Structures are given as structure tokens and as C-alpha cells.
């Protein structure tokens, strides 16, 4: 069963584990999987559903939808162990070199268990585990006392750990005290964007506000509490007053009903458009005057980067790692998290000064291309995979 040593540039067999989310880590993992497959690696993606970004691509990633079977004893079907089992099955048949877990819970746990089983089969063939931390896996859920001991364990037991921003790497070190005997340093690899798809040229013909008067601000998220979308609706009302302007809200999630209610209460009527989840994001982002993000915590802000890549400047709160993506006064405007007046002033400053917004948008596009291109980031992950493969694995 032992395999010959790999040459430094031979194609790798990579298993990617992710949540099948419409945005965030599900997008990063899917885009990375597609890019790795495109440059010749064999990529298997494990999730309990096909991630939307993978589903819309013809790319040659091998999808393993692992849901497990319901059983009366289970409170909920444990898809994380179904994923572990699917990985083991594929590893035994194909020999995976690396398992790349996106979002610590439960994926770093599933990857750890699969590696432990593979070590028991044949230590020489066991895959290495790379864990990428995305945000609330450290700041909210992973840090909850009900999960924290296991989060810390799997981070320490990973062969390498990356975070999507310097801010998140620091949070991780502070919350989980990495750097001990078996703890490895967290490496920062920023997220990337497909700058060809998210382009200023994305068609605007059927934009929902093309028949309205006034400039448009757009927001894309999953409407969880951390995004503070009701706060955004209030800030928009304050920024525009009686002046004609539009707010387009893209996505769905728990705070959507509260936003609808607030729009009615504030008499914003048709000025706010709710679009629900959409795939045609570049077509919605490129024609907008401003992208808005009001999170209380945000490790990176991928949606802000996608807007920048479309040439749309960002007005945001200075939450977490957002300042590593958006440069204040250059590619957008930032304010402190609870500064509603400051946010409204920043939003008005760009909405009602199209020349300034356009110029910042051009810089935003340039920075997206220069600092967050797909090629550069994918290369860094491949380099990391090869480095961990050159080392002895942690024991299972
Ligand atoms: O951590 C989350 O809240 C979910 C996660 C996701 O899976 O959607 O979002 C995080 O990961 C994204 C991709 O790396 C980042 O762009 C987001 O900033 C981050 N969200 C938060 O930190 C709230």
C-alpha cells in the first residue's frame, strides 16, 4: 500500500471540506477547489449539499455529497461523520494527500478523524490536515464553551492552520492560545476574488434600480445578527433624508423580516428593494454607486472585495479584518462600529458625489486585481500543501 515519494511539482490529490453556503467560506472553498482542479490537481469536495458556487460552474471538481441517513436515535442526522466516512472511502480508493477543512467546525474535526483512521490503515499514506479559519468558527460558535475545547484541540492537531486575515489570526491566538508545544503558528492567507467574473463590465441593463431615480447602494449578506442589516436600513434612511436614492438588499436570513418591518416603519417604501438570494452578483454590484457593509464583526468581508472587483467603492464599519480589504479614503470609507451618524455621513458623501465614488471605485478595482487575485492566493495554498507534505504528520 505504500506510495512512492512525490516529485515537488507533481499534481496533488486534495480533499476540500466546506459548508455549502451561498457566500463566505462556501464560496472561498468552492472557488479554491475549482482553481486547483483547473491547474491540474485532483480535487474532491465533501459537503452535505452541493455548494451553490460549485453548482454553477462546469469545472472538474469531484463532488461527494455526504448526508448520512436519518435514524430514530439521532436528534439530527450527523452529516459530519458521514463526511468523515466518505473521505475515508475516497482516500482508500484514490489516496488523498491533503484534507483542507474550511471553517473549523465541524470540518477540522471530520478531517482529523479521517486522518486518524487513515494513519491506522497505513501511516505512510495518511493525508495531511490543513484548516482554514473563516470567522465565527473562532469568534462566535467555535469559542462557545460547548465547543471551545474541541475547537482548540483540532486547531492544534492540524498540520497547518490558516486565517483569512491578520485580525482573525490574532483573535485565534488570543482565544485559543496557540503557540504551545503542539500548536502551530496561524498563517494568514487572504481571500481572493475572480476578477474576470466580478468585473466593472458586468452588464447593467436589467438592474433593479435602472428605472428609478437617484444613486443606488447595494448590500449582500446572509442577514444574520452579526451583519446588523436593520442598523443598515436606519443608516440609509439617515443618509438620504428626502433625497432620491435606492438601497438594494441581496440575500436572505434571520433579520430579513425585521428589515422589511423597519422599511415600512421608516416610510422608505419603494426605495428599498429586497431581492433574496441571487447568483448574478456582478450584474448587481457593478452598476451600484456604493456597496454597504455594517457588520459588528467581520473577519474579512468577501462581499466587499467582490464589490471592489466590480469597481464599486465600499462604505463599511471598521469591523475585524475589513480594514485589511478596504482602505479608508482610498477604496471606500470606514467608520467605527457604533457610529451610525458617521456611517450615514460616509454613505451620503459617496452616494451624492458620483465623481468621488467613481474615482474610489477605480482604485478599488485596481487593488482587487493587484492584491487579491486568484492566481496569487491559489499558489500560496499549493505551496502550503507541499510544505506540510514535506513534514512528518502529527500523530492521529
Ligand atoms: O464565519 C462566518 O460567519 C461564516 C463565514 C461563512 O462561512 O460565510 O463568513 C466568514 O468567512 C468569510 C470568508 O472567509 C469572510 O469573508 C467573512 O468576513 C466571515 N464572516 C464573519 O467573520 C462574520
Amino acid at each position: 500500500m505504500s506510495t512512492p515519494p512525490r516529485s515537488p511539482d507533481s499534481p496533488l490529490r486534495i480533499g476540500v471540506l466546506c459548508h455549502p453556503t451561498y457566500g463566505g467560506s462556501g464560496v472561498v472553498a468552492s472557488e479554491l477547489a475549482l482553481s486547483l482542479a483547473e491547474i491540474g490537481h485532483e480535487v474532491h469536495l465533501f459537503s452535505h449539499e452541493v455548494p451553490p458556487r460549485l453548482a454553477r460552474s462546469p469545472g472538474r471538481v469531484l463532488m461527494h455529497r455526504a448526508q448520512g441517513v436519518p435514524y430514530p436515535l439521532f436528534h439530527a442526522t450527523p452529516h459530519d461523520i458521514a463526511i468523515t466516512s466518505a473521505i475515508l472511502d475516497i482516500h482508500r480508493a484514490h489516496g488523498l494527500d491533503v484534507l483542507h477543512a474550511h471553517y473549523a467546525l465541524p470540518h477540522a474535526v471530520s478531517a482529523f478523524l479521517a486522518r486518524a483512521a487513515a494513519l491506522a490503515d497505513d501511516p505512510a499514506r495518511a493525508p495531511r490536515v490543513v484548516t482554514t479559519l473563516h470567522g465565527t468558527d473562532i469568534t462566535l460558535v467555535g469559542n462557545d464553551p460547548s465547543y471551545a475545547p474541541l475547537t482548540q484541540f483540532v486547531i492544534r492537531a492540524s498540520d497547518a492552520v490558516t486565517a483569512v486575515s491578520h485580525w482573525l489570526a490574532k483573535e485565534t491566538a488570543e482565544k485559543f492560545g496557540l503557540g504551545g508545544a503542539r500548536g502551530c503558528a496561524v498563517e494568514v492567507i487572504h481571500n481572493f476574488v475572480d476578477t474576470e467574473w466580478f468585473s466593472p463590465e458586468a452588464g447593467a441593463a436589467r438592474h433593479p434600480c435602472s428605472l428609478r431615480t437617484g444613486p443606488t447602494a447595494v448590500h449582500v449578506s446572509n442577514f444574520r445578527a452579526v451583519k446588523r442589516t436593520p442598523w443598515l436600513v436606519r443608516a440609509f434612511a439617515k443618509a438620504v433624508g428626502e433625497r432620491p436614492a435606492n438601497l438594494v438588499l441581496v440575500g436572505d436570513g434571520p433579520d430579513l423580516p425585521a428589515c422589511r418591518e423597519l422599511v415600512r416603519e421608516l416610510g422608505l417604501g419603494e426605495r428599498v428593494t429586497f431581492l433574496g438570494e441571487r447568483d448574478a452578483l456582478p450584474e448587481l454590484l457593478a452598476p451600484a454607486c456604493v456597496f454597504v457593509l455594517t457588520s459588528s464583526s467581520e473577519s474579512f468581508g468577501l462581499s466587499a472585495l467582490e464589490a471592489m472587483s466590480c469597481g464599486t467603492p465600499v462604505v463599511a464599519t471598521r469591523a475585524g479584518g475589513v480594514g485589511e480589504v478596504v482602505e479608508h479614503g482610498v477604496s471606500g470609507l470606514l467608520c467605527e462600529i457604533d457610529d451610525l451618524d458617521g456611517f450615514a455621513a460616509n454613505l451620503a458623501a459617496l452616494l451624492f458625489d458620483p465623481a468621488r465614488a467613481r474615482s474610489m471605485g477605480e482604485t478599488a478595482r485596481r487593488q482587487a486585481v493587484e492584491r487579491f487575485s486568484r492566481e496569487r492566493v491559489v499558489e500560496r495554498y499549493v505551496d502550503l500543501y507541499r510544505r506540510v507534505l514535506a513534514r512528518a504528520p502529527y500523530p492521529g
Side-chain angles (χ1 to χ4, degrees), residues 19 21-29 102-103 132-141 163-165 167-168 189-191 222 224 226-227 293 295-304 321-322 325:
H19 290 287
T21 48
Y22 168 70
S25 60
V27 166
V28 175
H102 287 264
Y103 205 87
T132 290
L133 307 170
H134 281 272
T136 52
D137 45 354
I138 294 302
T139 59
L140 282 177
V141 63
V164 298
S165 64
W167 175 83
L168 184 62
I189 302 186
H190 281 137
N191 289 328
N222 45 25
R224 280 173 305 160
V226 76
K227 304 289 176 179
L293 190 63
S295 309
S296 56
S297 175
E298 193 71 66
S299 68
F300 182 86
L302 183 63
S303 54
V322 170
V325 183

Side-chain angles (χ1 to χ4, degrees), residues 178-218:
L178 297 183
R182 291 187 63 203
C184 50
V186 176
E187 198 163 321
V188 176
I189 302 186
H190 281 137
N191 289 328
F192 63 95
V193 60
D194 179 344
T195 53
E196 279 173 32
W197 187 36
F198 285 88
S199 139
E201 275 79 54
R206 288 184 293 157
H207 192 268
C209 292
S210 58
L211 299 179
R212 302 255 169 85
T213 49
T216 296
V218 65

Side-chain angles (χ1 to χ4, degrees), residues 23 32 42-43 46 58 64-65 71 153 179 215 242 293 301 335 356 393:
L32 175 62
E42 179 181 317
V43 185
F46 300 88
H64 305 280
R65 184 166 157 266
Y71 188 69
F153 172 77
E242 296 303 314
L293 190 63
C335 69
R356 187 173 178 209

